[in-house]
Amino acid sequence: MPDASWLAVAIGLVYLAAAVCIYRILMTYRTAQGALAWVLALIGLPYIAVPMFLFFGRNRFGGYISARRTGDAALTELLNRFEHQTATIRQRDHEHFHDELKVLCKLGRQPFTKGNRCDLLKDGEATFEALFDAMEDARRYILLEFYIVRSDKVGQRIKSILKRKLAQGVEVWFLYDDIGSVWLPRKYLRELAAAGARVASFGDGNVRRLRLQVNFRNHRKLLVCDGEVGFIGGINLGDEYLGTAMDEEPWRDSHCRITGPAVTGLQLAWLEDWNWASEEVPTLSWTPSMPARGNQEVLILPTGPADTYETCTLFFLNCINNARERIWIASPYFVPDFQIMNALQLAALRGVDVRIIIPEKSDSRLIRLAAYSYLVQACRAGIGIYRYQPGFMHQKMVLVDQRYAAVGTANLDNRSMRLNFEITAICTASDFVDGVGQMLEQDLASCRLMTERDYQDRSILFRLACRTTRLMAPLL
């Protein structure tokens, strides 16, 4: 009889926990579909759904928000001072161009800055050459923040440079994501720390694992040297970005080198992440040098689950809704929610050239399946879905008309929209926009345009798998 009593108590506690989870969902949900799915699971399968919700169900990164609100006074002052700087955004023959970009400043709490120079780095070889050179030239400090760090040839080269610069008196702060870099040997990190580098995991902030916030990732990839030069894009620190991976298929990605005042925006985003992870605010330079021929206007847009708004979603919606001639998006993962898909359809129906470039081969079989389920909707509206053939395309690019281009870390999927910390650079300079356009045209030449038949001519089991996988999009 006591056993039965304990069993009843255990069952009661599980259902009480389910009720608490449901209350939290109803008070904080952002999408009705996701909320309904969780509520039904918690009612029907509470023994499975409660643990899953604790690990994967949160949509706001509460600890980061607390660190932001109660952080170091110097950091708060820097954030506020930079946010309220003014910069003139030239209008480019479009009556809404100023407002369209001004709203992005409000979303990112950063201004468009003038006097920058952006250099498009079209592949891994060009990117790593520029990264290595910048670190070698650093005189005061090096700030790194990457989702994936590997202990392969690239990783060893990075470590060798950092150890040499530390010996020269250059300070190094090394921030990585513990989930993305799960296979990084502890020895690698210990060697850097022993050489004098400050090393921190994004998951260290307030012991994220104990706070059950493992579903949030720091997906950013950036480097800043001396507050004067910065890098942003889709490339992590690993050999695959230099050559081949995934059954010896080429790996396609790109990055961007920035000099000028916009580097301050990159540095502030890094500093806020570092403050969360280590509760430390290093003394850095906030007077970036003005590069020669630096006349480009650039905005740095950090996004993440600690934001007041769904900043990443609103960024994409803003781009799509304001496109008048073309909206080209390159993303390795294409699992848009209904807002993004509806906006893409409307853009295509009003005559905008809408092209989505995704890889033929993917590192996620589930996401590849889910992408097929959008084909009928896309093709009937006139959206071009292009599958890149030579290998795995991992770059994240957005091109809006001839007016601006964006390069960063955000994908067209739920994880980037609501769960990951991402960062994007937006540039309005015509030469940079032209460069991105030419690069994407070259990529499109290596793509296959998909049609409805690619989905409808497949077996019913395949189509069922695609539709079922799409339902799992919030967890992918």
Side-chain angles (χ1 to χ4, degrees):
M1 197 65 182
D3 292 339
S5 298
W6 280 110
L7 180 61
V9 170
I11 293 174
L13 289 175
V14 169
Y15 276 95
L16 177 62
V20 172
C21 292
I22 291 172
Y23 170 80
R24 181 179 178 86
I25 290 168
L26 293 177
M27 297 303 293
T28 62
Y29 73 85
R30 293 190 176 187
T31 64
Q33 294 88 345
L36 182 60
W38 276 118
V39 169
L40 291 176
L42 287 163
I43 293 173
L45 297 168
Y47 308 102
I48 298 174
V50 168
M52 287 188 65
F53 180 79
L54 291 176
F55 280 93
F56 300 110
R58 298 188 183 190
N59 59 14
R60 296 298 301 277
F61 199 11
Y64 193 101
I65 297 172
S66 299
R68 173 182 286 171
R69 291 173 178 169
T70 61
D72 186 276
L75 172 58
T76 303
E77 181 184 354
L78 286 169
L79 290 168
N80 290 336
R81 189 170 66 202
F82 190 63
E83 176 184 1
H84 293 102
Q85 288 183 12
T86 58
T88 302
I89 305 170
R90 292 192 297 271
Q91 298 186 37
R92 306 287 180 82
D93 303 321
H94 190 277
E95 59 180 336
H96 300 300
F97 186 61
H98 183 270
D99 292 337
E100 174 187 347
L101 295 181
K102 186 166 65 175
V103 72
L104 296 180
C105 298
K106 293 181 178 180
L107 285 175
R109 297 182 58 194
Q110 292 205 19
F112 261 93
T113 58
K114 298 184 293 184
N116 299 285
R117 177 176 175 179
C118 292
D119 298 305
L120 184 61
L121 304 171
K122 297 183 180 181
D123 54 35
E125 184 175 354
T127 297
F128 286 125
E129 181 179 352
L131 288 175
F132 297 154
D133 288 346
M135 289 189 290
E136 293 282 13
D137 292 339
R139 305 179 308 278
R140 290 169 290 167
Y141 59 82
I142 300 172
L143 316 176
L144 299 100
E145 179 174 352
F146 285 88
Y147 177 61
I148 296 175
V149 182
R150 303 196 191 282
S151 184
D152 51 19
K153 292 179 181 179
V154 167
Q156 291 299 321
R157 177 75 182 276
I158 293 286
K159 183 176 67 173
S160 175
I161 293 174
L162 293 179
K163 290 171 70 174
R164 184 164 60 253
K165 300 306 292 187
L166 285 162
Q168 296 172 5
V170 176
E171 295 184 283
V172 172
W173 285 272
F174 187 96
L175 180 61
Y176 67 98
D177 186 88
D178 53 323
I179 297 175
S181 301
V182 65
W183 303 115
L184 182 65
R186 300 303 97 177
K187 180 182 177 182
Y188 185 100
L189 302 171
R190 288 195 299 268
E191 287 184 25
L192 280 177
R198 279 85 155 184
V199 178
S201 157
F202 192 71
D204 288 341
N206 293 338
V207 194
R208 182 178 65 183
R209 292 186 185 89
L210 296 181
R211 295 174 62 86
L212 300 178
Q213 294 181 324
V214 298
N215 204 27
F216 299 103
R217 319 280 170 80
N218 189 322
H219 196 239
R220 295 170 180 170
K221 301 117 177 143
L222 64 90
L223 168 73
V224 174
C225 296
D226 295 336
E228 298 176 356
V229 58
F231 296 84
I232 183 176
I235 293 180
N236 288 292
L237 302 183
D239 287 354
E240 62 267 33
Y241 296 89
L242 275 175
T244 59
M246 295 178 58
D247 300 325
E248 301 303 312
E249 291 289 342
W251 194 287
R252 174 76 184 94
D253 213 329
S254 52
H255 224 71
C256 179
R257 180 182 186 271
I258 302 173
T259 51
V263 177
T264 301
L266 280 178
Q267 190 164 267
L268 275 171
W270 176 91
L271 189 62
E272 195 169 16
D273 290 344
W274 182 267
N275 177 57
W276 151 255
S278 66
E279 298 184 353
E280 175 190 9
V281 179
T283 300
L284 305 173
S285 172
W286 299 103
T287 54
S289 60
M290 304 295 287
R293 305 189 307 278
N295 60 355
Q296 298 177 344
E297 295 163 342
V298 178
L299 168 68
I300 303 299
L301 182 68
T303 63
D307 297 347
T308 302
Y309 308 103
E310 281 189 7
T311 310
C312 192
T313 301
L314 293 177
F315 160 69
F316 277 105
L317 287 173
N318 191 64
C319 293
I320 298 166
N321 290 334
N322 285 288
R324 292 296 176 268
E325 299 170 3
R326 66 176 175 181
I327 175 80
W328 293 1
I329 303 174
S331 172
Y333 311 123
F334 181 64
V335 194
D337 64 13
F338 74 95
Q339 300 177 83
I340 300 295
M341 195 63 201
N342 286 348
L344 290 170
Q345 288 176 302
L346 283 172
L349 290 171
R350 66 174 182 264
V352 176
D353 179 10
V354 181
R355 304 189 191 190
I356 310 296
I357 308 174
I358 60 178
E360 178 68 53
K361 297 185 178 180
S362 176
D363 61 346
S364 173
R365 187 181 298 273
L366 292 178
I367 288 178
R368 185 175 185 274
L369 278 175
Y372 274 93
S373 69
Y374 295 91
L375 271 180
V376 175
Q377 287 176 272
C379 293
R380 290 181 179 175
I383 299 169
I385 305 293
Y386 293 81
R387 282 199 179 272
Y388 184 77
Q389 298 297 302
F392 180 47
M393 189 218 68
H394 187 256
Q395 65 182 346
K396 303 95 165 52
M397 292 279 179
V398 181
L399 181 62
V400 180
D401 302 333
Q402 290 294 124
R403 297 183 291 118
Y404 60 94
V407 54
T409 67
N411 299 305
L412 271 178
D413 65 356
N414 179 73
R415 179 161 289 284
S416 285
M417 300 296 169
R418 299 183 176 90
L419 299 174
N420 285 348
F421 288 83
E422 309 282 6
I423 192 163
T424 301
I426 302 159
C427 181
T428 63
S430 58
D431 53 345
F432 185 81
V433 174
D434 289 341
V436 171
Q438 292 169 11
M439 183 184 71
L440 293 181
E441 285 177 354
Q442 292 173 0
D443 291 333
L444 284 165
S446 299
C447 289
R448 176 176 67 90
L449 176 62
M450 302 190 74
T451 69
E452 291 184 50
R453 310 311 325 168
D454 287 298
Y455 175 76
Q456 292 180 332
D457 288 349
R458 304 296 288 266
S459 70
I460 190 170
L461 289 178
F462 178 86
R463 285 178 284 154
L464 181 61
C466 292
R467 298 291 294 185
T468 302
T469 305
R470 180 170 169 176
L471 290 176
M472 298 168 57
L475 298 177
L476 295 177

mmCIF file of all heavy atoms in Angstrom, residues 161-194:
data_model
loop_
_atom_site.group_PDB
_atom_site.id
_atom_site.type_symbol
_atom_site.label_atom_id
_atom_site.label_comp_id
_atom_site.label_asym_id
_atom_site.label_seq_id
_atom_site.Cartn_x
_atom_site.Cartn_y
_atom_site.Cartn_z
ATOM 1 N N ILE A 161 49.166 30.958 -33.500
ATOM 2 C CA ILE A 161 49.235 32.422 -33.634
ATOM 3 C C ILE A 161 48.910 33.088 -32.303
ATOM 4 O O ILE A 161 49.597 34.028 -31.866
ATOM 5 C CB ILE A 161 48.275 32.910 -34.731
ATOM 6 C CG1 ILE A 161 48.741 32.418 -36.100
ATOM 7 C CG2 ILE A 161 48.176 34.431 -34.725
ATOM 8 C CD1 ILE A 161 47.759 32.735 -37.225
ATOM 9 N N LEU A 162 47.859 32.617 -31.638
ATOM 10 C CA LEU A 162 47.444 33.236 -30.379
ATOM 11 C C LEU A 162 48.527 33.096 -29.312
ATOM 12 O O LEU A 162 48.811 34.058 -28.564
ATOM 13 C CB LEU A 162 46.135 32.605 -29.895
ATOM 14 C CG LEU A 162 44.900 32.868 -30.761
ATOM 15 C CD1 LEU A 162 43.679 32.173 -30.175
ATOM 16 C CD2 LEU A 162 44.640 34.362 -30.919
ATOM 17 N N LYS A 163 49.152 31.950 -29.226
ATOM 18 C CA LYS A 163 50.220 31.754 -28.240
ATOM 19 C C LYS A 163 51.406 32.664 -28.537
ATOM 20 O O LYS A 163 52.024 33.230 -27.624
ATOM 21 C CB LYS A 163 50.647 30.289 -28.214
ATOM 22 C CG LYS A 163 49.589 29.360 -27.619
ATOM 23 C CD LYS A 163 49.933 27.903 -27.786
ATOM 24 C CE LYS A 163 51.110 27.495 -26.928
ATOM 25 N NZ LYS A 163 51.345 26.031 -26.993
ATOM 26 N N ARG A 164 51.716 32.820 -29.815
ATOM 27 C CA ARG A 164 52.826 33.704 -30.186
ATOM 28 C C ARG A 164 52.493 35.160 -29.860
ATOM 29 O O ARG A 164 53.353 35.903 -29.357
ATOM 30 C CB ARG A 164 53.134 33.540 -31.670
ATOM 31 C CG ARG A 164 54.340 34.356 -32.133
ATOM 32 C CD ARG A 164 54.852 33.884 -33.478
ATOM 33 N NE ARG A 164 53.856 33.989 -34.540
ATOM 34 C CZ ARG A 164 53.224 32.960 -35.069
ATOM 35 N NH1 ARG A 164 53.471 31.727 -34.625
ATOM 36 N NH2 ARG A 164 52.337 33.133 -36.031
ATOM 37 N N LYS A 165 51.263 35.587 -30.129
ATOM 38 C CA LYS A 165 50.877 36.969 -29.825
ATOM 39 C C LYS A 165 50.816 37.208 -28.320
ATOM 40 O O LYS A 165 51.179 38.301 -27.841
ATOM 41 C CB LYS A 165 49.528 37.289 -30.469
ATOM 42 C CG LYS A 165 49.498 37.168 -31.988
ATOM 43 C CD LYS A 165 50.589 37.983 -32.664
ATOM 44 C CE LYS A 165 50.393 39.467 -32.536
ATOM 45 N NZ LYS A 165 51.372 40.240 -33.325
ATOM 46 N N LEU A 166 50.389 36.204 -27.571
ATOM 47 C CA LEU A 166 50.397 36.331 -26.108
ATOM 48 C C LEU A 166 51.810 36.531 -25.593
ATOM 49 O O LEU A 166 52.042 37.347 -24.679
ATOM 50 C CB LEU A 166 49.769 35.080 -25.481
ATOM 51 C CG LEU A 166 48.237 34.983 -25.568
ATOM 52 C CD1 LEU A 166 47.775 33.551 -25.329
ATOM 53 C CD2 LEU A 166 47.583 35.925 -24.554
ATOM 54 N N ALA A 167 52.751 35.819 -26.159
ATOM 55 C CA ALA A 167 54.149 35.967 -25.755
ATOM 56 C C ALA A 167 54.684 37.363 -26.079
ATOM 57 O O ALA A 167 55.610 37.845 -25.421
ATOM 58 C CB ALA A 167 55.010 34.899 -26.445
ATOM 59 N N GLN A 168 54.070 38.025 -27.061
ATOM 60 C CA GLN A 168 54.478 39.380 -27.430
ATOM 61 C C GLN A 168 53.777 40.447 -26.599
ATOM 62 O O GLN A 168 54.009 41.634 -26.792
ATOM 63 C CB GLN A 168 54.190 39.613 -28.920
ATOM 64 C CG GLN A 168 54.989 38.723 -29.859
ATOM 65 C CD GLN A 168 54.533 38.849 -31.302
ATOM 66 O OE1 GLN A 168 53.675 39.674 -31.642
ATOM 67 N NE2 GLN A 168 55.096 38.027 -32.182
ATOM 68 N N GLY A 169 52.898 40.016 -25.688
ATOM 69 C CA GLY A 169 52.197 40.963 -24.832
ATOM 70 C C GLY A 169 50.806 41.343 -25.312
ATOM 71 O O GLY A 169 50.145 42.196 -24.699
ATOM 72 N N VAL A 170 50.329 40.731 -26.405
ATOM 73 C CA VAL A 170 48.969 40.992 -26.890
ATOM 74 C C VAL A 170 47.983 40.198 -26.042
ATOM 75 O O VAL A 170 48.188 39.006 -25.785
ATOM 76 C CB VAL A 170 48.841 40.588 -28.379
ATOM 77 C CG1 VAL A 170 47.398 40.755 -28.859
ATOM 78 C CG2 VAL A 170 49.785 41.425 -29.235
ATOM 79 N N GLU A 171 46.922 40.844 -25.608
ATOM 80 C CA GLU A 171 45.904 40.159 -24.799
ATOM 81 C C GLU A 171 44.937 39.408 -25.709
ATOM 82 O O GLU A 171 44.615 39.868 -26.814
ATOM 83 C CB GLU A 171 45.142 41.161 -23.943
ATOM 84 C CG GLU A 171 46.019 41.847 -22.892
ATOM 85 C CD GLU A 171 45.217 42.767 -21.994
ATOM 86 O OE1 GLU A 171 44.872 43.872 -22.462
ATOM 87 O OE2 GLU A 171 44.923 42.378 -20.852
ATOM 88 N N VAL A 172 44.456 38.261 -25.245
ATOM 89 C CA VAL A 172 43.560 37.413 -26.029
ATOM 90 C C VAL A 172 42.372 37.004 -25.170
ATOM 91 O O VAL A 172 42.551 36.518 -24.044
ATOM 92 C CB VAL A 172 44.278 36.152 -26.549
ATOM 93 C CG1 VAL A 172 43.277 35.186 -27.203
ATOM 94 C CG2 VAL A 172 45.382 36.524 -27.533
ATOM 95 N N TRP A 173 41.171 37.219 -25.711
ATOM 96 C CA TRP A 173 39.937 36.723 -25.097
ATOM 97 C C TRP A 173 39.284 35.767 -26.083
ATOM 98 O O TRP A 173 39.000 36.140 -27.228
ATOM 99 C CB TRP A 173 38.992 37.877 -24.773
ATOM 100 C CG TRP A 173 39.406 38.672 -23.569
ATOM 101 C CD1 TRP A 173 39.083 38.426 -22.267
ATOM 102 C CD2 TRP A 173 40.208 39.864 -23.556
ATOM 103 N NE1 TRP A 173 39.630 39.380 -21.443
ATOM 104 C CE2 TRP A 173 40.333 40.280 -22.205
ATOM 105 C CE3 TRP A 173 40.836 40.627 -24.544
ATOM 106 C CZ2 TRP A 173 41.036 41.408 -21.831
ATOM 107 C CZ3 TRP A 173 41.551 41.743 -24.169
ATOM 108 C CH2 TRP A 173 41.650 42.126 -22.830
ATOM 109 N N PHE A 174 39.035 34.547 -25.632
ATOM 110 C CA PHE A 174 38.596 33.454 -26.514
ATOM 111 C C PHE A 174 37.264 32.921 -26.004
ATOM 112 O O PHE A 174 37.197 32.289 -24.949
ATOM 113 C CB PHE A 174 39.669 32.361 -26.504
ATOM 114 C CG PHE A 174 39.457 31.252 -27.483
ATOM 115 C CD1 PHE A 174 40.078 31.260 -28.721
ATOM 116 C CD2 PHE A 174 38.645 30.167 -27.177
ATOM 117 C CE1 PHE A 174 39.901 30.229 -29.631
ATOM 118 C CE2 PHE A 174 38.454 29.128 -28.067
ATOM 119 C CZ PHE A 174 39.082 29.163 -29.307
ATOM 120 N N LEU A 175 36.183 33.186 -26.741
ATOM 121 C CA LEU A 175 34.836 32.763 -26.354
ATOM 122 C C LEU A 175 34.311 31.761 -27.371
ATOM 123 O O LEU A 175 34.358 32.001 -28.575
ATOM 124 C CB LEU A 175 33.901 33.975 -26.288
ATOM 125 C CG LEU A 175 32.439 33.733 -25.901
ATOM 126 C CD1 LEU A 175 32.323 33.142 -24.506
ATOM 127 C CD2 LEU A 175 31.644 35.034 -25.994
ATOM 128 N N TYR A 176 33.814 30.619 -26.890
ATOM 129 C CA TYR A 176 33.296 29.582 -27.777
ATOM 130 C C TYR A 176 31.979 29.055 -27.215
ATOM 131 O O TYR A 176 31.673 29.237 -26.036
ATOM 132 C CB TYR A 176 34.306 28.432 -27.918
ATOM 133 C CG TYR A 176 34.518 27.642 -26.638
ATOM 134 C CD1 TYR A 176 33.844 26.448 -26.417
ATOM 135 C CD2 TYR A 176 35.364 28.110 -25.637
ATOM 136 C CE1 TYR A 176 34.015 25.735 -25.239
ATOM 137 C CE2 TYR A 176 35.536 27.407 -24.455
ATOM 138 C CZ TYR A 176 34.864 26.225 -24.255
ATOM 139 O OH TYR A 176 35.020 25.527 -23.083
ATOM 140 N N ASP A 177 31.206 28.408 -28.076
ATOM 141 C CA ASP A 177 29.960 27.787 -27.623
ATOM 142 C C ASP A 177 30.241 26.336 -27.260
ATOM 143 O O ASP A 177 30.784 25.570 -28.066
ATOM 144 C CB ASP A 177 28.897 27.850 -28.721
ATOM 145 C CG ASP A 177 27.549 27.344 -28.227
ATOM 146 O OD1 ASP A 177 26.773 28.152 -27.694
ATOM 147 O OD2 ASP A 177 27.290 26.130 -28.359
ATOM 148 N N ASP A 178 29.863 25.925 -26.063
ATOM 149 C CA ASP A 178 30.210 24.590 -25.582
ATOM 150 C C ASP A 178 29.432 23.484 -26.288
ATOM 151 O O ASP A 178 29.864 22.329 -26.293
ATOM 152 C CB ASP A 178 29.994 24.495 -24.064
ATOM 153 C CG ASP A 178 28.606 24.931 -23.637
ATOM 154 O OD1 ASP A 178 28.088 25.877 -24.249
ATOM 155 O OD2 ASP A 178 28.049 24.341 -22.715
ATOM 156 N N ILE A 179 28.296 23.830 -26.910
ATOM 157 C CA ILE A 179 27.531 22.819 -27.641
ATOM 158 C C ILE A 179 28.089 22.662 -29.058
ATOM 159 O O ILE A 179 28.332 21.559 -29.530
ATOM 160 C CB ILE A 179 26.042 23.173 -27.658
ATOM 161 C CG1 ILE A 179 25.494 23.177 -26.227
ATOM 162 C CG2 ILE A 179 25.257 22.191 -28.526
ATOM 163 C CD1 ILE A 179 24.060 23.619 -26.101
ATOM 164 N N GLY A 180 28.301 23.778 -29.742
ATOM 165 C CA GLY A 180 28.882 23.712 -31.073
ATOM 166 C C GLY A 180 30.292 23.140 -31.069
ATOM 167 O O GLY A 180 30.709 22.472 -32.017
ATOM 168 N N SER A 181 31.041 23.403 -30.002
ATOM 169 C CA SER A 181 32.435 22.940 -29.894
ATOM 170 C C SER A 181 32.556 21.768 -28.919
ATOM 171 O O SER A 181 33.555 21.641 -28.209
ATOM 172 C CB SER A 181 33.334 24.099 -29.434
ATOM 173 O OG SER A 181 33.272 25.178 -30.327
ATOM 174 N N VAL A 182 31.543 20.917 -28.907
ATOM 175 C CA VAL A 182 31.510 19.823 -27.942
ATOM 176 C C VAL A 182 32.692 18.868 -28.107
ATOM 177 O O VAL A 182 33.137 18.248 -27.139
ATOM 178 C CB VAL A 182 30.164 19.068 -28.052
ATOM 179 C CG1 VAL A 182 30.034 18.375 -29.397
ATOM 180 C CG2 VAL A 182 29.999 18.078 -26.912
ATOM 181 N N TRP A 183 33.231 18.756 -29.340
ATOM 182 C CA TRP A 183 34.341 17.832 -29.579
ATOM 183 C C TRP A 183 35.705 18.500 -29.441
ATOM 184 O O TRP A 183 36.722 17.864 -29.692
ATOM 185 C CB TRP A 183 34.214 17.208 -30.972
ATOM 186 C CG TRP A 183 32.928 16.495 -31.183
ATOM 187 C CD1 TRP A 183 31.941 16.824 -32.052
ATOM 188 C CD2 TRP A 183 32.463 15.334 -30.482
ATOM 189 N NE1 TRP A 183 30.890 15.962 -31.950
ATOM 190 C CE2 TRP A 183 31.179 15.020 -30.991
ATOM 191 C CE3 TRP A 183 33.000 14.529 -29.470
ATOM 192 C CZ2 TRP A 183 30.441 13.935 -30.526
ATOM 193 C CZ3 TRP A 183 32.254 13.456 -29.015
ATOM 194 C CH2 TRP A 183 31.002 13.169 -29.534
ATOM 195 N N LEU A 184 35.726 19.774 -29.051
ATOM 196 C CA LEU A 184 37.013 20.453 -28.865
ATOM 197 C C LEU A 184 37.699 19.914 -27.616
ATOM 198 O O LEU A 184 37.136 19.980 -26.522
ATOM 199 C CB LEU A 184 36.790 21.961 -28.723
ATOM 200 C CG LEU A 184 38.047 22.817 -28.569
ATOM 201 C CD1 LEU A 184 38.907 22.751 -29.837
ATOM 202 C CD2 LEU A 184 37.663 24.271 -28.258
ATOM 203 N N PRO A 185 38.927 19.373 -27.737
ATOM 204 C CA PRO A 185 39.601 18.798 -26.568
ATOM 205 C C PRO A 185 39.864 19.846 -25.483
ATOM 206 O O PRO A 185 40.216 20.990 -25.780
ATOM 207 C CB PRO A 185 40.922 18.265 -27.148
ATOM 208 C CG PRO A 185 40.683 18.112 -28.605
ATOM 209 C CD PRO A 185 39.714 19.196 -28.972
ATOM 210 N N ARG A 186 39.702 19.447 -24.237
ATOM 211 C CA ARG A 186 39.987 20.359 -23.123
ATOM 212 C C ARG A 186 41.466 20.772 -23.112
ATOM 213 O O ARG A 186 41.810 21.861 -22.659
ATOM 214 C CB ARG A 186 39.634 19.694 -21.797
ATOM 215 C CG ARG A 186 38.192 19.272 -21.634
ATOM 216 C CD ARG A 186 37.224 20.421 -21.809
ATOM 217 N NE ARG A 186 36.673 20.476 -23.164
ATOM 218 C CZ ARG A 186 35.774 21.343 -23.573
ATOM 219 N NH1 ARG A 186 35.326 22.246 -22.712
ATOM 220 N NH2 ARG A 186 35.332 21.345 -24.816
ATOM 221 N N LYS A 187 42.312 19.887 -23.642
ATOM 222 C CA LYS A 187 43.739 20.203 -23.706
ATOM 223 C C LYS A 187 43.993 21.457 -24.533
ATOM 224 O O LYS A 187 44.849 22.286 -24.199
ATOM 225 C CB LYS A 187 44.505 19.014 -24.299
ATOM 226 C CG LYS A 187 46.010 19.248 -24.419
ATOM 227 C CD LYS A 187 46.695 18.046 -25.050
ATOM 228 C CE LYS A 187 48.205 18.326 -25.222
ATOM 229 N NZ LYS A 187 48.881 17.198 -25.886
ATOM 230 N N TYR A 188 43.261 21.610 -25.618
ATOM 231 C CA TYR A 188 43.380 22.781 -26.481
ATOM 232 C C TYR A 188 43.127 24.061 -25.675
ATOM 233 O O TYR A 188 43.884 25.033 -25.761
ATOM 234 C CB TYR A 188 42.378 22.654 -27.624
ATOM 235 C CG TYR A 188 42.440 23.733 -28.680
ATOM 236 C CD1 TYR A 188 43.081 23.512 -29.884
ATOM 237 C CD2 TYR A 188 41.812 24.960 -28.484
ATOM 238 C CE1 TYR A 188 43.115 24.487 -30.880
ATOM 239 C CE2 TYR A 188 41.843 25.947 -29.456
ATOM 240 C CZ TYR A 188 42.498 25.713 -30.660
ATOM 241 O OH TYR A 188 42.525 26.691 -31.625
ATOM 242 N N LEU A 189 42.065 24.045 -24.894
ATOM 243 C CA LEU A 189 41.697 25.210 -24.101
ATOM 244 C C LEU A 189 42.686 25.444 -22.960
ATOM 245 O O LEU A 189 43.035 26.588 -22.644
ATOM 246 C CB LEU A 189 40.286 25.038 -23.553
ATOM 247 C CG LEU A 189 39.195 24.824 -24.612
ATOM 248 C CD1 LEU A 189 37.880 24.437 -23.959
ATOM 249 C CD2 LEU A 189 39.021 26.084 -25.458
ATOM 250 N N ARG A 190 43.151 24.356 -22.346
ATOM 251 C CA ARG A 190 44.116 24.500 -21.247
ATOM 252 C C ARG A 190 45.416 25.112 -21.751
ATOM 253 O O ARG A 190 46.042 25.919 -21.042
ATOM 254 C CB ARG A 190 44.379 23.142 -20.593
ATOM 255 C CG ARG A 190 43.222 22.620 -19.747
ATOM 256 C CD ARG A 190 43.674 21.483 -18.839
ATOM 257 N NE ARG A 190 44.173 20.339 -19.605
ATOM 258 C CZ ARG A 190 43.425 19.315 -19.985
ATOM 259 N NH1 ARG A 190 42.128 19.304 -19.695
ATOM 260 N NH2 ARG A 190 43.948 18.303 -20.654
ATOM 261 N N GLU A 191 45.849 24.739 -22.948
ATOM 262 C CA GLU A 191 47.087 25.294 -23.500
ATOM 263 C C GLU A 191 46.956 26.799 -23.731
ATOM 264 O O GLU A 191 47.887 27.565 -23.454
ATOM 265 C CB GLU A 191 47.443 24.590 -24.804
ATOM 266 C CG GLU A 191 47.966 23.178 -24.623
ATOM 267 C CD GLU A 191 48.394 22.567 -25.942
ATOM 268 O OE1 GLU A 191 48.727 23.326 -26.875
ATOM 269 O OE2 GLU A 191 48.397 21.322 -26.052
ATOM 270 N N LEU A 192 45.803 27.214 -24.249
ATOM 271 C CA LEU A 192 45.590 28.648 -24.443
ATOM 272 C C LEU A 192 45.575 29.390 -23.110
ATOM 273 O O LEU A 192 46.178 30.458 -22.964
ATOM 274 C CB LEU A 192 44.271 28.881 -25.187
ATOM 275 C CG LEU A 192 44.282 28.691 -26.704
ATOM 276 C CD1 LEU A 192 42.875 28.883 -27.269
ATOM 277 C CD2 LEU A 192 45.244 29.676 -27.369
ATOM 278 N N ALA A 193 44.869 28.822 -22.142
ATOM 279 C CA ALA A 193 44.797 29.463 -20.825
ATOM 280 C C ALA A 193 46.173 29.522 -20.174
ATOM 281 O O ALA A 193 46.539 30.538 -19.550
ATOM 282 C CB ALA A 193 43.809 28.719 -19.936
ATOM 283 N N ALA A 194 46.957 28.459 -20.311
ATOM 284 C CA ALA A 194 48.305 28.435 -19.723
ATOM 285 C C ALA A 194 49.200 29.482 -20.363
ATOM 286 O O ALA A 194 50.120 30.009 -19.712
ATOM 287 C CB ALA A 194 48.907 27.045 -19.879
#
